Amino acid sequence: MEDFLFYLLAFLGVLLMFISVINIWIIDTKNKKSEEKKSKTKHIKLLIVGGIVFIISRVLQGQLL
């Protein structure tokens, strides 16, 4: 049961990173087409949080370090 929770936590971290990268890509394509530039800081913060969640879940499970 404990392994399942760590795998779920790792999956959520990867999912957060994936969604953030997709959103950053969408914002980049929209910024190229329009003169009004949108900010990507919120998505970059979510990308970093997703990476931290993924790394912490792997460390706690014992697959890293």
Side-chain angles (χ1 to χ4, degrees):
M1 184 67 181
E2 188 175 302
D3 284 340
F4 174 74
L5 292 176
F6 288 133
Y7 282 126
L8 183 64
L9 193 62
F11 174 74
L12 291 176
V14 170
L15 186 65
L16 260 175
M17 290 189 293
F18 180 74
I19 291 171
S20 297
V21 168
I22 296 294
N23 284 332
I24 289 170
W25 178 68
I26 290 171
I27 289 172
D28 277 343
T29 56
K30 286 183 180 179
N31 281 346
K32 288 180 184 175
K33 294 179 182 177
S34 68
E35 294 179 12
E36 184 180 333
K37 305 294 182 188
K38 287 191 173 182
S39 178
K40 298 180 281 189
T41 56
K42 179 177 74 170
H43 300 292
I44 291 174
K45 288 177 185 176
L46 279 175
L47 182 68
I48 292 170
V49 167
I52 290 171
V53 167
F54 177 76
I55 291 172
I56 287 175
S57 69
R58 290 300 172 177
V59 167
L60 290 176
Q61 192 175 12
Q63 291 187 354
L64 289 177
L65 298 176

